[in-house]
Amino acid sequence: MSQTFLLEPDIIAATENVMPDLNSDLVLAKNFLKQQSAATGDTLYDHLVDIIQKILSHKPPDVVDNFEQFSWEVKQEKFRPNFDLLNDLYLSPPQLSLVRRVDEMFRLVASKAEKADDLGEEEQELDLEEEDVKPRIVDLVDHNYYFREAGYGLPDSECYAVYIALNMLGIKEPVSTVRFFGKIFGTKANYFVAETDLTLEELDRRIREFELKDMPGEGEGEGEARPPEEEQKELLGEGEAKQEKPKEPVPPKLPPEPVSTWQPPPIIPVERPGQGVNKKVFWVCNNPGEPWICLPDVTPDQIRVARLTVHCMTGDLDAEVQVFPPFDGCERNYLRAQIARIQSATAISPQGFYTFGSGEEEEDIDMEEGMGDLDFNPNPFYQGHTLKDLVDTNLTYWVHHGRHILKQGRTLWWNPNAGMEEGIEEEEDEVPPPIEPETGPPLFTSLSEDARIEGQNPWSTRISTILAPDRAIAVIRSNMWPGAVAYATAGKKSECLYIGWGLKNQPPNFSPLQLSQPQEEYVIGPEVMEMADPTFADEEAYRIAHLPPPPPPVLLGEGEGVFGEEDEEED
């Protein structure tokens, strides 16, 4: 109390010196209320003004009780969307289109299944009769389980989406069997590949189109009538050109132009649809749910060039393939050629898993008649092999069920001299020498006969697990085509799969094909050889040597006698 009492005189003295000023106090208070907020930039003064204006304009009852509500409404009115900003516009994520396609695919397959469930008894009987017409789709989910046990395969979510996509392919396209071939990586996108067999009607249609396309056109571009006006213009143009053409000096005689002795190799015919390398039809898509795109048939020349080059896929079927030797086609053709090579080398199965449909041996079929492309089906009497036999390093219990591709780029050899031998009947001297037909290993050849790669085994085998022998499976992996793998159980299940970049292992390194040496254009001689320019002394000597001879001299005796006679006559 004593301290407070002592300070009071000082406070009174200070207040006596400062006179109260209402205007200055109002200005200070107003400036304080006009301080802007750091977050929004608004001031309390403007907010109170807006509240009072709203209250006076509406004049609601019980203003004191609802003052906070009026304050909230005033703040809410200030938050208005600014449509001038581009950030406020909705941009759909790139995955939305893919999700919509996957949803459409699921709905299509689900509707097909619901129709099958809603059929009556009579319709079910008809449906059972038509089961042979429905495409047979390989159970990818079941096979992928075993591939995952071996350390390969697709993720479960992706596997299910691919399996539904295979069902969609069987619904939309005229195919009889559908099988998942594998996945090929690309620099921008990946390819999911499906292997199918066409229906008989679709196969016949494609064979007819193939035969019509190969028939040469008769009289194409020949004998076409042209209007007489164009002929008159050409005749007039030629006459005017002959009249206006000035006379030119005769050019010096040059040696004859050389004639090229190079002859292009004969064009190897393409195997028709349903035969050889074109026996299967392949479909690709970048993501499950997208439309399946049918790859074209492969030609022998495309396979030949693909063997000489290395090219990574981009994921765009229309991308240009820049390799040497030049490749005839775009990436869809190169992808088809690589798939044919992979299928030929890595389509394997346990011995006895497949059998020929007719039961005939391959040697009994006439290869020249095009019947060498045998059909095989799963063997119903196959009982399986033990895991010990399947993982044996000798590989005698594994066989190829993919047709070997010859150096011609075909599975059936074609004789290039067949047409020449038919045209030559009497001239025995011009008959070309016979060519030994090229042959490859037959179907169901054991893997033990495969060539080694720089001393390395072409295949590697192992067991998936040693902790649970009852659940173990045999796994075999290709060292020539990294990414190709197959499995087999002790029972009746087996399948092969490829997941990789579509490139072949080429130890120790890839060596591109070298350019061929250019041919000589002209025979080397003085007419075409380059020589040094003559010097001034050489030119002067040449000029002196080619000067005209001097005139003969006049004899003096003869001249004197003549002139003397004339003088005498004058005298």
Side-chain angles (χ1 to χ4, degrees):
M1 293 295 291
S2 61
Q3 291 180 354
T4 305
F5 180 77
L6 293 173
L7 289 174
E8 286 180 357
D10 298 335
I11 295 172
I12 294 171
T15 53
E16 288 178 354
N17 296 331
V18 179
M19 296 295 297
D21 189 358
L22 183 60
N23 293 330
S24 61
D25 293 342
L26 289 175
V27 171
L28 294 174
K30 191 174 182 180
N31 292 335
F32 175 77
L33 296 176
K34 286 187 176 182
Q35 292 180 358
Q36 292 183 349
S37 172
T40 60
D42 296 334
T43 63
L44 180 59
Y45 181 83
D46 296 335
H47 183 63
L48 293 174
V49 170
D50 295 338
I51 292 174
I52 295 172
Q53 183 180 1
K54 185 177 182 64
I55 292 172
L56 294 177
S57 59
H58 292 81
K59 294 180 180 180
D62 302 330
V63 178
V64 178
D65 299 335
N66 299 324
F67 184 79
E68 292 80 3
Q69 182 66 26
F70 291 122
S71 176
W72 174 256
E73 292 177 357
V74 169
K75 286 185 177 181
Q76 191 176 12
E77 291 176 357
K78 292 182 179 180
F79 290 99
R80 296 178 180 177
N82 187 2
F83 294 102
D84 296 336
L85 298 178
L86 296 178
N87 294 333
D88 294 338
L89 298 178
Y90 174 74
L91 298 177
S92 60
Q95 296 84 0
L96 181 60
S97 59
L98 179 61
V99 171
R100 289 176 177 172
R101 290 177 181 174
V102 172
D103 181 68
E104 181 182 356
M105 176 183 66
F106 286 169
R107 293 179 184 274
L108 174 64
V109 178
S111 63
K112 192 74 174 179
E114 290 176 357
K115 289 180 181 179
D117 294 339
D118 295 339
L119 293 176
E121 294 181 357
E122 297 180 357
E123 294 178 348
Q124 286 182 359
E125 292 178 359
L126 295 175
D127 186 61
L128 291 174
E129 295 177 357
E130 296 177 356
E131 281 186 357
D132 298 336
V133 182
K134 292 183 179 179
R136 182 175 59 86
I137 300 173
V138 178
D139 192 356
L140 175 62
V141 178
D142 185 27
H143 290 303
N144 190 69
Y145 167 76
Y146 292 99
F147 282 118
R148 293 295 299 274
E149 290 289 322
Y152 301 93
L154 302 173
D156 293 336
S157 59
E158 188 176 71
C159 172
Y160 185 75
V162 173
Y163 180 66
I164 300 301
L166 296 177
N167 284 269
M168 182 184 69
L169 175 62
I171 294 173
K172 289 188 174 182
E173 304 297 340
V175 294
S176 59
T177 61
V178 182
R179 171 184 167 271
F180 181 64
F181 175 82
K183 182 179 179 181
I184 296 180
F185 301 131
T187 57
K188 298 179 181 178
N190 303 326
Y191 290 114
F192 292 89
V193 186
E195 175 187 322
T196 64
D197 287 317
L198 298 176
T199 58
L200 296 178
E201 295 79 6
E202 179 66 15
L203 182 60
D204 293 340
R205 186 188 67 81
R206 294 198 179 192
I207 291 175
R208 288 195 299 270
E209 290 182 357
F210 176 80
E211 293 174 351
L212 292 175
K213 184 170 59 177
D214 286 354
M215 292 178 61
E218 298 180 358
E220 292 182 359
E222 298 180 1
E224 295 181 357
R226 290 183 298 174
E229 297 178 357
E230 294 184 1
E231 295 181 357
Q232 291 179 2
K233 289 182 179 179
E234 290 183 1
L235 294 174
L236 291 175
E238 291 178 0
E240 293 177 359
K242 290 181 180 179
Q243 294 177 0
E244 296 178 358
K245 185 177 181 181
K247 293 183 179 180
E248 297 181 356
V250 178
K253 186 177 181 181
L254 296 176
E257 295 183 358
V259 179
S260 177
T261 59
W262 179 83
Q263 294 182 356
I267 300 176
I268 302 174
V270 184
E271 292 181 306
R272 64 172 179 82
Q275 185 182 43
V277 292
N278 296 321
K279 187 175 184 62
K280 301 288 184 178
V281 178
F282 293 89
W283 308 72
V284 296
C285 66
N286 295 121
N287 292 292
E290 294 183 355
W292 290 94
I293 300 175
C294 182
L295 295 180
D297 292 339
V298 64
T299 63
D301 184 68
Q302 292 172 354
I303 294 179
R304 180 188 65 84
V305 176
R307 286 172 168 171
L308 301 174
T309 57
V310 172
H311 177 75
C312 290
M313 307 297 171
T314 61
D316 181 12
L317 292 175
D318 297 327
E320 184 180 2
V321 180
Q322 297 181 355
V323 293
F324 180 81
F327 185 79
D328 183 18
C330 55
E331 185 167 305
R332 68 178 67 229
N333 304 100
Y334 191 85
L335 175 63
R336 180 64 181 85
Q338 291 296 92
I339 290 175
R341 297 176 62 199
I342 295 171
Q343 183 196 31
S344 173
T346 64
I348 61 175
S349 58
Q351 186 180 16
F353 187 81
Y354 289 104
T355 182
F356 294 114
S358 59
E360 300 176 356
E361 296 294 336
E362 186 177 5
E363 290 78 4
D364 299 337
I365 305 298
D366 189 1
M367 301 292 287
E368 295 181 358
E369 295 181 1
M371 298 297 294
D373 209 20
L374 299 177
D375 293 330
F376 54 88
N377 299 312
N379 186 5
F381 305 103
Y382 174 73
Q383 298 298 329
H385 302 282
T386 61
L387 295 181
K388 182 180 179 181
D389 294 336
L390 292 174
V391 298
D392 187 10
T393 56
N394 294 329
L395 303 175
T396 55
Y397 289 90
W398 289 91
V399 296
H400 288 279
H401 63 260
R403 172 68 67 177
H404 176 74
I405 301 178
L406 305 176
K407 293 182 180 180
Q408 285 186 341
R410 294 167 51 96
T411 59
L412 301 176
W413 185 74
W414 172 75
N415 186 5
N417 295 337
M420 300 176 62
E421 293 175 356
E422 293 177 0
I424 299 173
E425 298 178 354
E426 299 179 356
E427 300 178 2
E428 297 181 357
D429 297 338
E430 299 182 1
V431 175
I435 301 176
E436 184 178 357
E438 182 184 358
T439 59
L443 282 175
F444 304 152
T445 302
S446 176
L447 269 62
S448 59
E449 300 183 11
D450 290 2
R452 298 173 65 89
I453 310 172
E454 296 291 333
Q456 182 184 6
N457 292 328
W459 298 90
S460 300
T461 59
R462 66 180 179 88
I463 297 179
S464 62
T465 178
I466 59 175
L467 302 178
D470 297 338
R471 301 181 62 86
I473 60 175
V475 184
I476 182 169
R477 178 174 56 87
S478 174
N479 297 324
M480 183 177 294
W481 289 94
V485 64
Y487 84 90
T489 63
K492 300 182 179 181
K493 287 188 177 181
S494 178
E495 186 58 276
C496 53
L497 179 71
Y498 180 82
I499 299 178
W501 288 90
L503 301 177
K504 186 179 180 181
N505 182 19
Q506 297 181 355
N509 203 353
F510 171 71
S511 298
L513 187 66
Q514 300 295 326
L515 294 173
S516 59
Q517 295 293 334
Q519 296 183 354
E520 295 181 358
E521 295 184 0
Y522 289 92
V523 180
I524 298 177
E527 297 86 358
V528 297
M529 292 179 60
E530 295 184 359
M531 298 182 180
D533 293 338
T535 61
F536 176 75
D538 297 337
E539 292 180 352
E540 189 66 17
Y542 179 84
R543 187 185 65 80
I544 294 174
H546 290 77
L547 288 175
V554 180
L555 297 177
L556 297 177
E558 295 177 358
E560 291 178 354
V562 173
F563 288 110
E565 292 178 356
E566 292 179 354
D567 294 342
E568 290 177 356
E569 291 178 358
E570 291 178 355
D571 294 341

PDB file of all heavy atoms in Angstrom, residues 52 54 82 89 124 154 169 175-176 191 199-200 207 221 233 239 258 349 370 381 390 408 432 464 475 524 533 547:
ATOM      1  N   ILE A  52     -22.161  -4.222 -39.766  1.00  0.00           N
ATOM      2  CA  ILE A  52     -23.151  -3.198 -39.436  1.00  0.00           C
ATOM      3  C   ILE A  52     -24.040  -2.901 -40.636  1.00  0.00           C
ATOM      4  O   ILE A  52     -25.251  -2.725 -40.520  1.00  0.00           O
ATOM      5  CB  ILE A  52     -22.442  -1.937 -38.928  1.00  0.00           C
ATOM      6  CG1 ILE A  52     -21.731  -2.248 -37.587  1.00  0.00           C
ATOM      7  CG2 ILE A  52     -23.420  -0.794 -38.767  1.00  0.00           C
ATOM      8  CD1 ILE A  52     -20.836  -1.125 -37.101  1.00  0.00           C
ATOM      9  N   LYS A  54     -24.804  -4.972 -43.029  1.00  0.00           N
ATOM     10  CA  LYS A  54     -25.708  -6.107 -43.218  1.00  0.00           C
ATOM     11  C   LYS A  54     -26.838  -6.067 -42.205  1.00  0.00           C
ATOM     12  O   LYS A  54     -28.001  -6.359 -42.533  1.00  0.00           O
ATOM     13  CB  LYS A  54     -24.904  -7.411 -43.085  1.00  0.00           C
ATOM     14  CG  LYS A  54     -25.714  -8.673 -43.371  1.00  0.00           C
ATOM     15  CD  LYS A  54     -24.831  -9.895 -43.280  1.00  0.00           C
ATOM     16  CE  LYS A  54     -25.616 -11.158 -43.598  1.00  0.00           C
ATOM     17  NZ  LYS A  54     -26.113 -11.177 -44.973  1.00  0.00           N
ATOM     18  N   ASN A  82     -12.646 -17.906 -58.172  1.00  0.00           N
ATOM     19  CA  ASN A  82     -12.099 -17.106 -59.255  1.00  0.00           C
ATOM     20  C   ASN A  82     -11.919 -18.014 -60.482  1.00  0.00           C
ATOM     21  O   ASN A  82     -11.000 -18.829 -60.536  1.00  0.00           O
ATOM     22  CB  ASN A  82     -10.759 -16.493 -58.840  1.00  0.00           C
ATOM     23  CG  ASN A  82     -10.252 -15.507 -59.881  1.00  0.00           C
ATOM     24  OD1 ASN A  82     -10.913 -15.251 -60.887  1.00  0.00           O
ATOM     25  ND2 ASN A  82      -9.073 -14.948 -59.638  1.00  0.00           N
ATOM     26  N   LEU A  89      -9.532 -25.390 -62.745  1.00  0.00           N
ATOM     27  CA  LEU A  89     -10.176 -26.292 -63.689  1.00  0.00           C
ATOM     28  C   LEU A  89      -9.814 -27.733 -63.351  1.00  0.00           C
ATOM     29  O   LEU A  89      -8.687 -28.034 -62.958  1.00  0.00           O
ATOM     30  CB  LEU A  89      -9.733 -25.977 -65.118  1.00  0.00           C
ATOM     31  CG  LEU A  89     -10.087 -24.580 -65.623  1.00  0.00           C
ATOM     32  CD1 LEU A  89      -9.549 -24.373 -67.014  1.00  0.00           C
ATOM     33  CD2 LEU A  89     -11.592 -24.351 -65.592  1.00  0.00           C
ATOM     34  N   GLN A 124     -29.941 -74.132 -72.076  1.00  0.00           N
ATOM     35  CA  GLN A 124     -28.688 -74.668 -71.564  1.00  0.00           C
ATOM     36  C   GLN A 124     -28.232 -75.863 -72.393  1.00  0.00           C
ATOM     37  O   GLN A 124     -27.048 -76.064 -72.628  1.00  0.00           O
ATOM     38  CB  GLN A 124     -28.853 -75.074 -70.102  1.00  0.00           C
ATOM     39  CG  GLN A 124     -28.906 -73.883 -69.152  1.00  0.00           C
ATOM     40  CD  GLN A 124     -29.032 -74.324 -67.709  1.00  0.00           C
ATOM     41  OE1 GLN A 124     -29.088 -75.523 -67.434  1.00  0.00           O
ATOM     42  NE2 GLN A 124     -29.081 -73.358 -66.808  1.00  0.00           N
ATOM     43  N   LEU A 154       3.436 -62.961 -63.260  1.00  0.00           N
ATOM     44  CA  LEU A 154       2.880 -61.618 -63.149  1.00  0.00           C
ATOM     45  C   LEU A 154       2.371 -61.372 -61.734  1.00  0.00           C
ATOM     46  O   LEU A 154       2.026 -62.325 -61.026  1.00  0.00           O
ATOM     47  CB  LEU A 154       1.730 -61.432 -64.137  1.00  0.00           C
ATOM     48  CG  LEU A 154       2.047 -61.644 -65.624  1.00  0.00           C
ATOM     49  CD1 LEU A 154       0.756 -61.586 -66.436  1.00  0.00           C
ATOM     50  CD2 LEU A 154       3.040 -60.613 -66.127  1.00  0.00           C
ATOM     51  N   LEU A 169     -10.988 -60.923 -75.411  1.00  0.00           N
ATOM     52  CA  LEU A 169     -10.504 -61.235 -76.750  1.00  0.00           C
ATOM     53  C   LEU A 169     -11.275 -62.403 -77.352  1.00  0.00           C
ATOM     54  O   LEU A 169     -11.622 -62.394 -78.548  1.00  0.00           O
ATOM     55  CB  LEU A 169      -9.011 -61.556 -76.684  1.00  0.00           C
ATOM     56  CG  LEU A 169      -8.341 -62.023 -77.979  1.00  0.00           C
ATOM     57  CD1 LEU A 169      -8.425 -60.936 -79.043  1.00  0.00           C
ATOM     58  CD2 LEU A 169      -6.888 -62.409 -77.732  1.00  0.00           C
ATOM     59  N   VAL A 175     -11.737 -66.328 -82.717  1.00  0.00           N
ATOM     60  CA  VAL A 175     -10.636 -67.208 -82.333  1.00  0.00           C
ATOM     61  C   VAL A 175     -11.218 -68.457 -81.687  1.00  0.00           C
ATOM     62  O   VAL A 175     -12.319 -68.441 -81.123  1.00  0.00           O
ATOM     63  CB  VAL A 175      -9.667 -66.500 -81.361  1.00  0.00           C
ATOM     64  CG1 VAL A 175      -8.964 -65.340 -82.057  1.00  0.00           C
ATOM     65  CG2 VAL A 175     -10.397 -65.997 -80.128  1.00  0.00           C
ATOM     66  N   SER A 176     -10.461 -69.553 -81.794  1.00  0.00           N
ATOM     67  CA  SER A 176     -10.891 -70.820 -81.201  1.00  0.00           C
ATOM     68  C   SER A 176     -10.143 -71.147 -79.915  1.00  0.00           C
ATOM     69  O   SER A 176     -10.696 -71.804 -79.039  1.00  0.00           O
ATOM     70  CB  SER A 176     -10.701 -71.956 -82.215  1.00  0.00           C
ATOM     71  OG  SER A 176      -9.342 -72.048 -82.602  1.00  0.00           O
ATOM     72  N   TYR A 191       4.262 -54.553 -73.922  1.00  0.00           N
ATOM     73  CA  TYR A 191       3.324 -55.310 -74.755  1.00  0.00           C
ATOM     74  C   TYR A 191       2.877 -56.562 -73.999  1.00  0.00           C
ATOM     75  O   TYR A 191       3.718 -57.330 -73.521  1.00  0.00           O
ATOM     76  CB  TYR A 191       3.971 -55.739 -76.070  1.00  0.00           C
ATOM     77  CG  TYR A 191       4.253 -54.619 -77.038  1.00  0.00           C
ATOM     78  CD1 TYR A 191       5.555 -54.273 -77.376  1.00  0.00           C
ATOM     79  CD2 TYR A 191       3.220 -53.907 -77.634  1.00  0.00           C
ATOM     80  CE1 TYR A 191       5.828 -53.256 -78.278  1.00  0.00           C
ATOM     81  CE2 TYR A 191       3.483 -52.888 -78.532  1.00  0.00           C
ATOM     82  CZ  TYR A 191       4.786 -52.561 -78.845  1.00  0.00           C
ATOM     83  OH  TYR A 191       5.044 -51.553 -79.731  1.00  0.00           O
ATOM     84  N   THR A 199     -10.703 -69.383 -85.942  1.00  0.00           N
ATOM     85  CA  THR A 199     -11.768 -70.320 -86.295  1.00  0.00           C
ATOM     86  C   THR A 199     -11.604 -70.754 -87.749  1.00  0.00           C
ATOM     87  O   THR A 199     -10.895 -70.123 -88.541  1.00  0.00           O
ATOM     88  CB  THR A 199     -13.136 -69.675 -86.086  1.00  0.00           C
ATOM     89  OG1 THR A 199     -13.217 -68.479 -86.896  1.00  0.00           O
ATOM     90  CG2 THR A 199     -13.344 -69.290 -84.625  1.00  0.00           C
ATOM     91  N   LEU A 200     -12.274 -71.849 -88.108  1.00  0.00           N
ATOM     92  CA  LEU A 200     -12.124 -72.366 -89.465  1.00  0.00           C
ATOM     93  C   LEU A 200     -12.634 -71.379 -90.508  1.00  0.00           C
ATOM     94  O   LEU A 200     -12.028 -71.218 -91.579  1.00  0.00           O
ATOM     95  CB  LEU A 200     -12.874 -73.698 -89.593  1.00  0.00           C
ATOM     96  CG  LEU A 200     -12.338 -74.856 -88.728  1.00  0.00           C
ATOM     97  CD1 LEU A 200     -13.207 -76.094 -88.908  1.00  0.00           C
ATOM     98  CD2 LEU A 200     -10.887 -75.161 -89.075  1.00  0.00           C
ATOM     99  N   ILE A 207      -7.020 -67.175 -95.882  1.00  0.00           N
ATOM    100  CA  ILE A 207      -6.294 -67.909 -96.924  1.00  0.00           C
ATOM    101  C   ILE A 207      -6.726 -67.441 -98.302  1.00  0.00           C
ATOM    102  O   ILE A 207      -5.897 -67.274 -99.209  1.00  0.00           O
ATOM    103  CB  ILE A 207      -6.516 -69.423 -96.743  1.00  0.00           C
ATOM    104  CG1 ILE A 207      -5.811 -69.909 -95.461  1.00  0.00           C
ATOM    105  CG2 ILE A 207      -5.989 -70.187 -97.948  1.00  0.00           C
ATOM    106  CD1 ILE A 207      -6.070 -71.363 -95.142  1.00  0.00           C
ATOM    107  N   GLY A 221      -1.446 -51.248-115.766  1.00  0.00           N
ATOM    108  CA  GLY A 221      -0.705 -50.094-116.257  1.00  0.00           C
ATOM    109  C   GLY A 221      -0.341 -50.180-117.721  1.00  0.00           C
ATOM    110  O   GLY A 221       0.401 -49.360-118.220  1.00  0.00           O
ATOM    111  N   LYS A 233      -0.786 -32.975-127.695  1.00  0.00           N
ATOM    112  CA  LYS A 233       0.122 -32.094-126.964  1.00  0.00           C
ATOM    113  C   LYS A 233       1.523 -32.690-126.918  1.00  0.00           C
ATOM    114  O   LYS A 233       2.520 -31.983-127.077  1.00  0.00           O
ATOM    115  CB  LYS A 233      -0.403 -31.883-125.549  1.00  0.00           C
ATOM    116  CG  LYS A 233      -1.642 -31.012-125.489  1.00  0.00           C
ATOM    117  CD  LYS A 233      -2.081 -30.801-124.051  1.00  0.00           C
ATOM    118  CE  LYS A 233      -3.320 -29.915-123.987  1.00  0.00           C
ATOM    119  NZ  LYS A 233      -3.768 -29.719-122.591  1.00  0.00           N
ATOM    120  N   GLY A 239       7.726 -31.847-131.415  1.00  0.00           N
ATOM    121  CA  GLY A 239       8.127 -31.105-132.606  1.00  0.00           C
ATOM    122  C   GLY A 239       8.750 -29.769-132.264  1.00  0.00           C
ATOM    123  O   GLY A 239       9.768 -29.371-132.819  1.00  0.00           O
ATOM    124  N   PRO A 258      29.584 -49.129-117.386  1.00  0.00           N
ATOM    125  CA  PRO A 258      29.647 -50.525-116.924  1.00  0.00           C
ATOM    126  C   PRO A 258      28.253 -51.051-116.607  1.00  0.00           C
ATOM    127  O   PRO A 258      27.364 -50.323-116.199  1.00  0.00           O
ATOM    128  CB  PRO A 258      30.510 -50.444-115.657  1.00  0.00           C
ATOM    129  CG  PRO A 258      30.314 -49.045-115.175  1.00  0.00           C
ATOM    130  CD  PRO A 258      30.155 -48.198-116.407  1.00  0.00           C
ATOM    131  N   SER A 349       8.078 -78.484 -73.579  1.00  0.00           N
ATOM    132  CA  SER A 349       7.141 -79.216 -72.718  1.00  0.00           C
ATOM    133  C   SER A 349       7.798 -80.539 -72.332  1.00  0.00           C
ATOM    134  O   SER A 349       8.745 -80.995 -72.994  1.00  0.00           O
ATOM    135  CB  SER A 349       5.815 -79.452 -73.443  1.00  0.00           C
ATOM    136  OG  SER A 349       6.026 -80.174 -74.638  1.00  0.00           O
ATOM    137  N   GLY A 370       3.272 -79.508 -98.457  1.00  0.00           N
ATOM    138  CA  GLY A 370       2.854 -78.575 -97.431  1.00  0.00           C
ATOM    139  C   GLY A 370       2.198 -79.213 -96.246  1.00  0.00           C
ATOM    140  O   GLY A 370       1.515 -78.541 -95.482  1.00  0.00           O
ATOM    141  N   PHE A 381      -3.188 -89.422 -72.317  1.00  0.00           N
ATOM    142  CA  PHE A 381      -2.600 -90.540 -71.567  1.00  0.00           C
ATOM    143  C   PHE A 381      -1.289 -90.152 -70.873  1.00  0.00           C
ATOM    144  O   PHE A 381      -0.567 -91.033 -70.408  1.00  0.00           O
ATOM    145  CB  PHE A 381      -2.353 -91.725 -72.504  1.00  0.00           C
ATOM    146  CG  PHE A 381      -3.580 -92.166 -73.252  1.00  0.00           C
ATOM    147  CD1 PHE A 381      -3.752 -91.835 -74.592  1.00  0.00           C
ATOM    148  CD2 PHE A 381      -4.582 -92.881 -72.621  1.00  0.00           C
ATOM    149  CE1 PHE A 381      -4.886 -92.228 -75.282  1.00  0.00           C
ATOM    150  CE2 PHE A 381      -5.723 -93.282 -73.299  1.00  0.00           C
ATOM    151  CZ  PHE A 381      -5.868 -92.959 -74.636  1.00  0.00           C
ATOM    152  N   LEU A 390      12.929 -84.497 -64.417  1.00  0.00           N
ATOM    153  CA  LEU A 390      12.672 -83.211 -65.063  1.00  0.00           C
ATOM    154  C   LEU A 390      13.802 -82.213 -64.827  1.00  0.00           C
ATOM    155  O   LEU A 390      14.025 -81.326 -65.658  1.00  0.00           O
ATOM    156  CB  LEU A 390      11.354 -82.625 -64.561  1.00  0.00           C
ATOM    157  CG  LEU A 390      10.085 -83.384 -64.980  1.00  0.00           C
ATOM    158  CD1 LEU A 390       8.866 -82.796 -64.304  1.00  0.00           C
ATOM    159  CD2 LEU A 390       9.909 -83.364 -66.502  1.00  0.00           C
ATOM    160  N   GLN A 408      16.119 -69.859 -94.368  1.00  0.00           N
ATOM    161  CA  GLN A 408      15.287 -69.114 -95.316  1.00  0.00           C
ATOM    162  C   GLN A 408      14.267 -68.226 -94.631  1.00  0.00           C
ATOM    163  O   GLN A 408      13.683 -67.353 -95.266  1.00  0.00           O
ATOM    164  CB  GLN A 408      14.553 -70.085 -96.242  1.00  0.00           C
ATOM    165  CG  GLN A 408      15.404 -70.715 -97.311  1.00  0.00           C
ATOM    166  CD  GLN A 408      14.576 -71.542 -98.270  1.00  0.00           C
ATOM    167  OE1 GLN A 408      13.455 -71.938 -97.965  1.00  0.00           O
ATOM    168  NE2 GLN A 408      15.116 -71.804 -99.453  1.00  0.00           N
ATOM    169  N   PRO A 432      20.142 -75.446-113.900  1.00  0.00           N
ATOM    170  CA  PRO A 432      20.924 -75.087-112.716  1.00  0.00           C
ATOM    171  C   PRO A 432      21.252 -76.310-111.888  1.00  0.00           C
ATOM    172  O   PRO A 432      20.538 -77.314-111.922  1.00  0.00           O
ATOM    173  CB  PRO A 432      19.986 -74.128-111.964  1.00  0.00           C
ATOM    174  CG  PRO A 432      18.621 -74.510-112.406  1.00  0.00           C
ATOM    175  CD  PRO A 432      18.756 -74.966-113.831  1.00  0.00           C
ATOM    176  N   SER A 464      11.751 -75.764 -57.352  1.00  0.00           N
ATOM    177  CA  SER A 464      11.249 -74.527 -56.739  1.00  0.00           C
ATOM    178  C   SER A 464      11.536 -74.481 -55.243  1.00  0.00           C
ATOM    179  O   SER A 464      11.818 -73.418 -54.694  1.00  0.00           O
ATOM    180  CB  SER A 464       9.754 -74.374 -57.013  1.00  0.00           C
ATOM    181  OG  SER A 464       9.037 -75.463 -56.432  1.00  0.00           O
ATOM    182  N   VAL A 475      11.529 -76.332 -62.637  1.00  0.00           N
ATOM    183  CA  VAL A 475      11.597 -75.064 -63.371  1.00  0.00           C
ATOM    184  C   VAL A 475      12.779 -75.139 -64.319  1.00  0.00           C
ATOM    185  O   VAL A 475      13.884 -75.568 -63.934  1.00  0.00           O
ATOM    186  CB  VAL A 475      11.760 -73.867 -62.412  1.00  0.00           C
ATOM    187  CG1 VAL A 475      11.740 -72.562 -63.192  1.00  0.00           C
ATOM    188  CG2 VAL A 475      10.669 -73.876 -61.360  1.00  0.00           C
ATOM    189  N   ILE A 524      39.836 -49.248-114.951  1.00  0.00           N
ATOM    190  CA  ILE A 524      40.921 -48.266-114.835  1.00  0.00           C
ATOM    191  C   ILE A 524      41.685 -48.210-116.155  1.00  0.00           C
ATOM    192  O   ILE A 524      42.153 -49.224-116.668  1.00  0.00           O
ATOM    193  CB  ILE A 524      41.853 -48.640-113.676  1.00  0.00           C
ATOM    194  CG1 ILE A 524      41.067 -48.603-112.353  1.00  0.00           C
ATOM    195  CG2 ILE A 524      43.037 -47.695-113.619  1.00  0.00           C
ATOM    196  CD1 ILE A 524      41.877 -49.028-111.162  1.00  0.00           C
ATOM    197  N   ASP A 533      48.139 -31.582-113.804  1.00  0.00           N
ATOM    198  CA  ASP A 533      48.049 -30.518-114.803  1.00  0.00           C
ATOM    199  C   ASP A 533      49.438 -30.210-115.361  1.00  0.00           C
ATOM    200  O   ASP A 533      50.431 -30.200-114.617  1.00  0.00           O
ATOM    201  CB  ASP A 533      47.454 -29.267-114.176  1.00  0.00           C
ATOM    202  CG  ASP A 533      46.006 -29.459-113.785  1.00  0.00           C
ATOM    203  OD1 ASP A 533      45.364 -30.371-114.366  1.00  0.00           O
ATOM    204  OD2 ASP A 533      45.517 -28.736-112.895  1.00  0.00           O
ATOM    205  N   LEU A 547      53.432 -26.246-134.065  1.00  0.00           N
ATOM    206  CA  LEU A 547      53.405 -25.089-134.959  1.00  0.00           C
ATOM    207  C   LEU A 547      53.334 -25.553-136.410  1.00  0.00           C
ATOM    208  O   LEU A 547      53.874 -26.626-136.766  1.00  0.00           O
ATOM    209  CB  LEU A 547      54.643 -24.232-134.752  1.00  0.00           C
ATOM    210  CG  LEU A 547      54.703 -23.425-133.441  1.00  0.00           C
ATOM    211  CD1 LEU A 547      56.047 -22.714-133.317  1.00  0.00           C
ATOM    212  CD2 LEU A 547      53.564 -22.401-133.383  1.00  0.00           C
TER     213      LEU A 547
END
